[in-house]
Amino acid sequence: MRFKTTVVVVPALALAGLLGLSGKEKEREETVVRAPIPALPAVVIEEKVKEEQAEREEKVKDYSHISLKELPVKERKKRFVEIMLPLIEKANREVLKERAFLLKVKEKKELSQEEREKLEELKKKYRAESIEELLEKVNTVPPGLVLAQAALESGWGTSRFFKEANNAFGIYTFKEKKCLKARGYNFCVRKYPSLYASVKDYIYNLNVGWAYRDFRRLRSKGADIYTLTKSLVKYSELKDEYTQLVNGIIKKNGFDSIGSPAFAARSSTVR
């Protein structure tokens, strides 16, 4: 939220003349008129920054039961990125908030009751026994990787699962009664209330699933996006062929440079 302040500047000497001031009085008046406006306290500035960030997050539009099937290929891919990338970034921000809390309490000798309760909640949520284990699990997933997998799994927003179940990642379920049955196959995909819920669940699965331990280990060591993708061989029955397909989408569409000026310039021409 930005505030505009209108300042009316009246020349000091002109003002002094209108008021009939003497020379010394004019000097004093000139000094007073030109006195700088005091800066806002740091606390106020910090609060305004938080307000602006909250407003930006609130403006992230969510989607439900949409299909991009009718769009031409080039326009479809561009629209897919426009829809999914803000949701991915929002989900990652939520994870970063949890991680920031963990980093904070890790350095404290004594925790408040509220902090202890929150820590226990996170241990339960992420199936962890210690802060160290939590820090390996509670972390972001590269947006380019998330976007590439969503593109592959949903056919760039054209699949039946994407439209009817808001499922952008082909995530199965064997427990829920309300699921979307795959035609010709004996499995169901999970149904989500929105695409954002699908993105959050995908990131959560990578952060807790036993099949993605190598992914989390490599991430903690700072591995690049292509190395991380190769560690997801258990995500699909296609195994290495699957990770090659994902990396191909990342490279072809420049998803490895998301967040850079280069990607922003290319985003209107996603291939």
Side-chain angles (χ1 to χ4, degrees), residues 208-223:
V208 300
W210 64 268
Y212 312 121
R213 288 171 184 158
D214 285 344
F215 169 85
R216 296 191 292 270
R217 178 180 56 80
L218 290 168
R219 179 179 61 183
S220 67
K221 294 181 178 180

mmCIF file with all atom_site columns, all heavy atoms in Angstrom, residues 208-223:
data_model
loop_
_atom_site.group_PDB
_atom_site.id
_atom_site.type_symbol
_atom_site.label_atom_id
_atom_site.label_alt_id
_atom_site.label_comp_id
_atom_site.label_asym_id
_atom_site.label_entity_id
_atom_site.label_seq_id
_atom_site.pdbx_PDB_ins_code
_atom_site.Cartn_x
_atom_site.Cartn_y
_atom_site.Cartn_z
_atom_site.occupancy
_atom_site.B_iso_or_equiv
_atom_site.pdbx_formal_charge
_atom_site.auth_seq_id
_atom_site.auth_comp_id
_atom_site.auth_asym_id
_atom_site.auth_atom_id
_atom_site.pdbx_PDB_model_num
ATOM 1   N N   . VAL A 1 208 ? 7.663  -34.838 2.847  1.00 0.00 ? 208 VAL A N   1
ATOM 2   C CA  . VAL A 1 208 ? 7.488  -35.881 3.876  1.00 0.00 ? 208 VAL A CA  1
ATOM 3   C C   . VAL A 1 208 ? 7.549  -37.311 3.334  1.00 0.00 ? 208 VAL A C   1
ATOM 4   O O   . VAL A 1 208 ? 7.810  -38.253 4.088  1.00 0.00 ? 208 VAL A O   1
ATOM 5   C CB  . VAL A 1 208 ? 6.152  -35.702 4.636  1.00 0.00 ? 208 VAL A CB  1
ATOM 6   C CG1 . VAL A 1 208 ? 6.088  -34.351 5.326  1.00 0.00 ? 208 VAL A CG1 1
ATOM 7   C CG2 . VAL A 1 208 ? 4.956  -35.901 3.725  1.00 0.00 ? 208 VAL A CG2 1
ATOM 8   N N   . GLY A 1 209 ? 7.302  -37.506 2.047  1.00 0.00 ? 209 GLY A N   1
ATOM 9   C CA  . GLY A 1 209 ? 7.216  -38.854 1.495  1.00 0.00 ? 209 GLY A CA  1
ATOM 10  C C   . GLY A 1 209 ? 8.521  -39.641 1.572  1.00 0.00 ? 209 GLY A C   1
ATOM 11  O O   . GLY A 1 209 ? 9.596  -39.100 1.324  1.00 0.00 ? 209 GLY A O   1
ATOM 12  N N   . TRP A 1 210 ? 8.411  -40.922 1.894  1.00 0.00 ? 210 TRP A N   1
ATOM 13  C CA  . TRP A 1 210 ? 9.613  -41.763 1.998  1.00 0.00 ? 210 TRP A CA  1
ATOM 14  C C   . TRP A 1 210 ? 10.333 -41.877 0.656  1.00 0.00 ? 210 TRP A C   1
ATOM 15  O O   . TRP A 1 210 ? 11.559 -42.049 0.600  1.00 0.00 ? 210 TRP A O   1
ATOM 16  C CB  . TRP A 1 210 ? 9.242  -43.159 2.501  1.00 0.00 ? 210 TRP A CB  1
ATOM 17  C CG  . TRP A 1 210 ? 8.349  -43.929 1.548  1.00 0.00 ? 210 TRP A CG  1
ATOM 18  C CD1 . TRP A 1 210 ? 6.991  -43.964 1.558  1.00 0.00 ? 210 TRP A CD1 1
ATOM 19  C CD2 . TRP A 1 210 ? 8.772  -44.743 0.440  1.00 0.00 ? 210 TRP A CD2 1
ATOM 20  N NE1 . TRP A 1 210 ? 6.518  -44.743 0.523  1.00 0.00 ? 210 TRP A NE1 1
ATOM 21  C CE2 . TRP A 1 210 ? 7.594  -45.240 -0.177 1.00 0.00 ? 210 TRP A CE2 1
ATOM 22  C CE3 . TRP A 1 210 ? 10.003 -45.104 -0.096 1.00 0.00 ? 210 TRP A CE3 1
ATOM 23  C CZ2 . TRP A 1 210 ? 7.632  -46.064 -1.297 1.00 0.00 ? 210 TRP A CZ2 1
ATOM 24  C CZ3 . TRP A 1 210 ? 10.039 -45.932 -1.208 1.00 0.00 ? 210 TRP A CZ3 1
ATOM 25  C CH2 . TRP A 1 210 ? 8.868  -46.404 -1.788 1.00 0.00 ? 210 TRP A CH2 1
ATOM 26  N N   . ALA A 1 211 ? 9.584  -41.788 -0.428 1.00 0.00 ? 211 ALA A N   1
ATOM 27  C CA  . ALA A 1 211 ? 10.175 -41.955 -1.763 1.00 0.00 ? 211 ALA A CA  1
ATOM 28  C C   . ALA A 1 211 ? 11.051 -40.782 -2.171 1.00 0.00 ? 211 ALA A C   1
ATOM 29  O O   . ALA A 1 211 ? 11.791 -40.880 -3.160 1.00 0.00 ? 211 ALA A O   1
ATOM 30  C CB  . ALA A 1 211 ? 9.062  -42.146 -2.793 1.00 0.00 ? 211 ALA A CB  1
ATOM 31  N N   . TYR A 1 212 ? 10.992 -39.685 -1.407 1.00 0.00 ? 212 TYR A N   1
ATOM 32  C CA  . TYR A 1 212 ? 11.700 -38.473 -1.814 1.00 0.00 ? 212 TYR A CA  1
ATOM 33  C C   . TYR A 1 212 ? 12.794 -38.075 -0.827 1.00 0.00 ? 212 TYR A C   1
ATOM 34  O O   . TYR A 1 212 ? 13.172 -36.906 -0.736 1.00 0.00 ? 212 TYR A O   1
ATOM 35  C CB  . TYR A 1 212 ? 10.688 -37.334 -2.001 1.00 0.00 ? 212 TYR A CB  1
ATOM 36  C CG  . TYR A 1 212 ? 9.497  -37.769 -2.823 1.00 0.00 ? 212 TYR A CG  1
ATOM 37  C CD1 . TYR A 1 212 ? 8.202  -37.711 -2.306 1.00 0.00 ? 212 TYR A CD1 1
ATOM 38  C CD2 . TYR A 1 212 ? 9.661  -38.303 -4.100 1.00 0.00 ? 212 TYR A CD2 1
ATOM 39  C CE1 . TYR A 1 212 ? 7.115  -38.150 -3.042 1.00 0.00 ? 212 TYR A CE1 1
ATOM 40  C CE2 . TYR A 1 212 ? 8.580  -38.745 -4.848 1.00 0.00 ? 212 TYR A CE2 1
ATOM 41  C CZ  . TYR A 1 212 ? 7.313  -38.671 -4.307 1.00 0.00 ? 212 TYR A CZ  1
ATOM 42  O OH  . TYR A 1 212 ? 6.235  -39.122 -5.032 1.00 0.00 ? 212 TYR A OH  1
ATOM 43  N N   . ARG A 1 213 ? 13.295 -39.063 -0.100 1.00 0.00 ? 213 ARG A N   1
ATOM 44  C CA  . ARG A 1 213 ? 14.381 -38.790 0.847  1.00 0.00 ? 213 ARG A CA  1
ATOM 45  C C   . ARG A 1 213 ? 15.625 -38.274 0.137  1.00 0.00 ? 213 ARG A C   1
ATOM 46  O O   . ARG A 1 213 ? 16.302 -37.352 0.624  1.00 0.00 ? 213 ARG A O   1
ATOM 47  C CB  . ARG A 1 213 ? 14.725 -40.071 1.623  1.00 0.00 ? 213 ARG A CB  1
ATOM 48  C CG  . ARG A 1 213 ? 13.660 -40.468 2.640  1.00 0.00 ? 213 ARG A CG  1
ATOM 49  C CD  . ARG A 1 213 ? 13.935 -41.833 3.217  1.00 0.00 ? 213 ARG A CD  1
ATOM 50  N NE  . ARG A 1 213 ? 12.879 -42.276 4.119  1.00 0.00 ? 213 ARG A NE  1
ATOM 51  C CZ  . ARG A 1 213 ? 12.650 -43.533 4.423  1.00 0.00 ? 213 ARG A CZ  1
ATOM 52  N NH1 . ARG A 1 213 ? 13.427 -44.489 3.932  1.00 0.00 ? 213 ARG A NH1 1
ATOM 53  N NH2 . ARG A 1 213 ? 11.656 -43.857 5.257  1.00 0.00 ? 213 ARG A NH2 1
ATOM 54  N N   . ASP A 1 214 ? 15.957 -38.852 -1.002 1.00 0.00 ? 214 ASP A N   1
ATOM 55  C CA  . ASP A 1 214 ? 17.131 -38.393 -1.753 1.00 0.00 ? 214 ASP A CA  1
ATOM 56  C C   . ASP A 1 214 ? 16.948 -36.953 -2.218 1.00 0.00 ? 214 ASP A C   1
ATOM 57  O O   . ASP A 1 214 ? 17.895 -36.162 -2.218 1.00 0.00 ? 214 ASP A O   1
ATOM 58  C CB  . ASP A 1 214 ? 17.384 -39.294 -2.967 1.00 0.00 ? 214 ASP A CB  1
ATOM 59  C CG  . ASP A 1 214 ? 17.980 -40.637 -2.581 1.00 0.00 ? 214 ASP A CG  1
ATOM 60  O OD1 . ASP A 1 214 ? 18.474 -40.754 -1.430 1.00 0.00 ? 214 ASP A OD1 1
ATOM 61  O OD2 . ASP A 1 214 ? 17.954 -41.567 -3.404 1.00 0.00 ? 214 ASP A OD2 1
ATOM 62  N N   . PHE A 1 215 ? 15.737 -36.618 -2.622 1.00 0.00 ? 215 PHE A N   1
ATOM 63  C CA  . PHE A 1 215 ? 15.437 -35.248 -3.038 1.00 0.00 ? 215 PHE A CA  1
ATOM 64  C C   . PHE A 1 215 ? 15.733 -34.277 -1.899 1.00 0.00 ? 215 PHE A C   1
ATOM 65  O O   . PHE A 1 215 ? 16.408 -33.257 -2.083 1.00 0.00 ? 215 PHE A O   1
ATOM 66  C CB  . PHE A 1 215 ? 13.967 -35.139 -3.453 1.00 0.00 ? 215 PHE A CB  1
ATOM 67  C CG  . PHE A 1 215 ? 13.481 -33.727 -3.641 1.00 0.00 ? 215 PHE A CG  1
ATOM 68  C CD1 . PHE A 1 215 ? 13.671 -33.065 -4.844 1.00 0.00 ? 215 PHE A CD1 1
ATOM 69  C CD2 . PHE A 1 215 ? 12.835 -33.062 -2.601 1.00 0.00 ? 215 PHE A CD2 1
ATOM 70  C CE1 . PHE A 1 215 ? 13.230 -31.753 -5.006 1.00 0.00 ? 215 PHE A CE1 1
ATOM 71  C CE2 . PHE A 1 215 ? 12.392 -31.760 -2.762 1.00 0.00 ? 215 PHE A CE2 1
ATOM 72  C CZ  . PHE A 1 215 ? 12.590 -31.108 -3.965 1.00 0.00 ? 215 PHE A CZ  1
ATOM 73  N N   . ARG A 1 216 ? 15.249 -34.594 -0.705 1.00 0.00 ? 216 ARG A N   1
ATOM 74  C CA  . ARG A 1 216 ? 15.440 -33.700 0.438  1.00 0.00 ? 216 ARG A CA  1
ATOM 75  C C   . ARG A 1 216 ? 16.907 -33.621 0.847  1.00 0.00 ? 216 ARG A C   1
ATOM 76  O O   . ARG A 1 216 ? 17.404 -32.549 1.226  1.00 0.00 ? 216 ARG A O   1
ATOM 77  C CB  . ARG A 1 216 ? 14.572 -34.175 1.614  1.00 0.00 ? 216 ARG A CB  1
ATOM 78  C CG  . ARG A 1 216 ? 13.085 -34.101 1.327  1.00 0.00 ? 216 ARG A CG  1
ATOM 79  C CD  . ARG A 1 216 ? 12.261 -34.312 2.574  1.00 0.00 ? 216 ARG A CD  1
ATOM 80  N NE  . ARG A 1 216 ? 12.331 -35.660 3.109  1.00 0.00 ? 216 ARG A NE  1
ATOM 81  C CZ  . ARG A 1 216 ? 11.520 -36.658 2.777  1.00 0.00 ? 216 ARG A CZ  1
ATOM 82  N NH1 . ARG A 1 216 ? 10.590 -36.484 1.853  1.00 0.00 ? 216 ARG A NH1 1
ATOM 83  N NH2 . ARG A 1 216 ? 11.635 -37.848 3.350  1.00 0.00 ? 216 ARG A NH2 1
ATOM 84  N N   . ARG A 1 217 ? 17.605 -34.750 0.767  1.00 0.00 ? 217 ARG A N   1
ATOM 85  C CA  . ARG A 1 217 ? 19.027 -34.757 1.120  1.00 0.00 ? 217 ARG A CA  1
ATOM 86  C C   . ARG A 1 217 ? 19.824 -33.892 0.161  1.00 0.00 ? 217 ARG A C   1
ATOM 87  O O   . ARG A 1 217 ? 20.661 -33.083 0.577  1.00 0.00 ? 217 ARG A O   1
ATOM 88  C CB  . ARG A 1 217 ? 19.551 -36.205 1.093  1.00 0.00 ? 217 ARG A CB  1
ATOM 89  C CG  . ARG A 1 217 ? 21.041 -36.341 1.387  1.00 0.00 ? 217 ARG A CG  1
ATOM 90  C CD  . ARG A 1 217 ? 21.468 -37.791 1.327  1.00 0.00 ? 217 ARG A CD  1
ATOM 91  N NE  . ARG A 1 217 ? 21.148 -38.414 0.057  1.00 0.00 ? 217 ARG A NE  1
ATOM 92  C CZ  . ARG A 1 217 ? 21.873 -38.263 -1.058 1.00 0.00 ? 217 ARG A CZ  1
ATOM 93  N NH1 . ARG A 1 217 ? 22.976 -37.513 -1.039 1.00 0.00 ? 217 ARG A NH1 1
ATOM 94  N NH2 . ARG A 1 217 ? 21.522 -38.874 -2.179 1.00 0.00 ? 217 ARG A NH2 1
ATOM 95  N N   . LEU A 1 218 ? 19.548 -34.022 -1.123 1.00 0.00 ? 218 LEU A N   1
ATOM 96  C CA  . LEU A 1 218 ? 20.257 -33.229 -2.124 1.00 0.00 ? 218 LEU A CA  1
ATOM 97  C C   . LEU A 1 218 ? 19.900 -31.746 -2.013 1.00 0.00 ? 218 LEU A C   1
ATOM 98  O O   . LEU A 1 218 ? 20.753 -30.870 -2.180 1.00 0.00 ? 218 LEU A O   1
ATOM 99  C CB  . LEU A 1 218 ? 19.923 -33.741 -3.529 1.00 0.00 ? 218 LEU A CB  1
ATOM 100 C CG  . LEU A 1 218 ? 20.508 -35.110 -3.886 1.00 0.00 ? 218 LEU A CG  1
ATOM 101 C CD1 . LEU A 1 218 ? 19.873 -35.652 -5.162 1.00 0.00 ? 218 LEU A CD1 1
ATOM 102 C CD2 . LEU A 1 218 ? 22.026 -35.009 -4.048 1.00 0.00 ? 218 LEU A CD2 1
ATOM 103 N N   . ARG A 1 219 ? 18.636 -31.478 -1.725 1.00 0.00 ? 219 ARG A N   1
ATOM 104 C CA  . ARG A 1 219 ? 18.209 -30.080 -1.559 1.00 0.00 ? 219 ARG A CA  1
ATOM 105 C C   . ARG A 1 219 ? 18.956 -29.411 -0.413 1.00 0.00 ? 219 ARG A C   1
ATOM 106 O O   . ARG A 1 219 ? 19.368 -28.246 -0.511 1.00 0.00 ? 219 ARG A O   1
ATOM 107 C CB  . ARG A 1 219 ? 16.699 -30.031 -1.313 1.00 0.00 ? 219 ARG A CB  1
ATOM 108 C CG  . ARG A 1 219 ? 16.141 -28.629 -1.114 1.00 0.00 ? 219 ARG A CG  1
ATOM 109 C CD  . ARG A 1 219 ? 14.639 -28.658 -0.895 1.00 0.00 ? 219 ARG A CD  1
ATOM 110 N NE  . ARG A 1 219 ? 14.255 -29.413 0.292  1.00 0.00 ? 219 ARG A NE  1
ATOM 111 C CZ  . ARG A 1 219 ? 12.998 -29.635 0.658  1.00 0.00 ? 219 ARG A CZ  1
ATOM 112 N NH1 . ARG A 1 219 ? 12.005 -29.146 -0.070 1.00 0.00 ? 219 ARG A NH1 1
ATOM 113 N NH2 . ARG A 1 219 ? 12.720 -30.329 1.749  1.00 0.00 ? 219 ARG A NH2 1
ATOM 114 N N   . SER A 1 220 ? 19.121 -30.132 0.689  1.00 0.00 ? 220 SER A N   1
ATOM 115 C CA  . SER A 1 220 ? 19.812 -29.577 1.850  1.00 0.00 ? 220 SER A CA  1
ATOM 116 C C   . SER A 1 220 ? 21.275 -29.273 1.554  1.00 0.00 ? 220 SER A C   1
ATOM 117 O O   . SER A 1 220 ? 21.904 -28.470 2.242  1.00 0.00 ? 220 SER A O   1
ATOM 118 C CB  . SER A 1 220 ? 19.711 -30.536 3.041  1.00 0.00 ? 220 SER A CB  1
ATOM 119 O OG  . SER A 1 220 ? 20.444 -31.726 2.797  1.00 0.00 ? 220 SER A OG  1
ATOM 120 N N   . LYS A 1 221 ? 21.820 -29.910 0.499  1.00 0.00 ? 221 LYS A N   1
ATOM 121 C CA  . LYS A 1 221 ? 23.212 -29.676 0.108  1.00 0.00 ? 221 LYS A CA  1
ATOM 122 C C   . LYS A 1 221 ? 23.323 -28.633 -1.007 1.00 0.00 ? 221 LYS A C   1
ATOM 123 O O   . LYS A 1 221 ? 24.417 -28.372 -1.508 1.00 0.00 ? 221 LYS A O   1
ATOM 124 C CB  . LYS A 1 221 ? 23.854 -30.988 -0.346 1.00 0.00 ? 221 LYS A CB  1
ATOM 125 C CG  . LYS A 1 221 ? 24.002 -32.010 0.784  1.00 0.00 ? 221 LYS A CG  1
ATOM 126 C CD  . LYS A 1 221 ? 24.672 -33.277 0.292  1.00 0.00 ? 221 LYS A CD  1
ATOM 127 C CE  . LYS A 1 221 ? 24.866 -34.281 1.420  1.00 0.00 ? 221 LYS A CE  1
ATOM 128 N NZ  . LYS A 1 221 ? 25.523 -35.523 0.966  1.00 0.00 ? 221 LYS A NZ  1
ATOM 129 N N   . GLY A 1 222 ? 22.175 -28.066 -1.405 1.00 0.00 ? 222 GLY A N   1
ATOM 130 C CA  . GLY A 1 222 ? 22.208 -27.015 -2.417 1.00 0.00 ? 222 GLY A CA  1
ATOM 131 C C   . GLY A 1 222 ? 22.268 -27.496 -3.852 1.00 0.00 ? 222 GLY A C   1
ATOM 132 O O   . GLY A 1 222 ? 22.776 -26.786 -4.729 1.00 0.00 ? 222 GLY A O   1
ATOM 133 N N   . ALA A 1 223 ? 21.764 -28.695 -4.125 1.00 0.00 ? 223 ALA A N   1
ATOM 134 C CA  . ALA A 1 223 ? 21.798 -29.243 -5.484 1.00 0.00 ? 223 ALA A CA  1
ATOM 135 C C   . ALA A 1 223 ? 20.994 -28.372 -6.442 1.00 0.00 ? 223 ALA A C   1
ATOM 136 O O   . ALA A 1 223 ? 20.015 -27.721 -6.056 1.00 0.00 ? 223 ALA A O   1
ATOM 137 C CB  . ALA A 1 223 ? 21.243 -30.665 -5.487 1.00 0.00 ? 223 ALA A CB  1
#
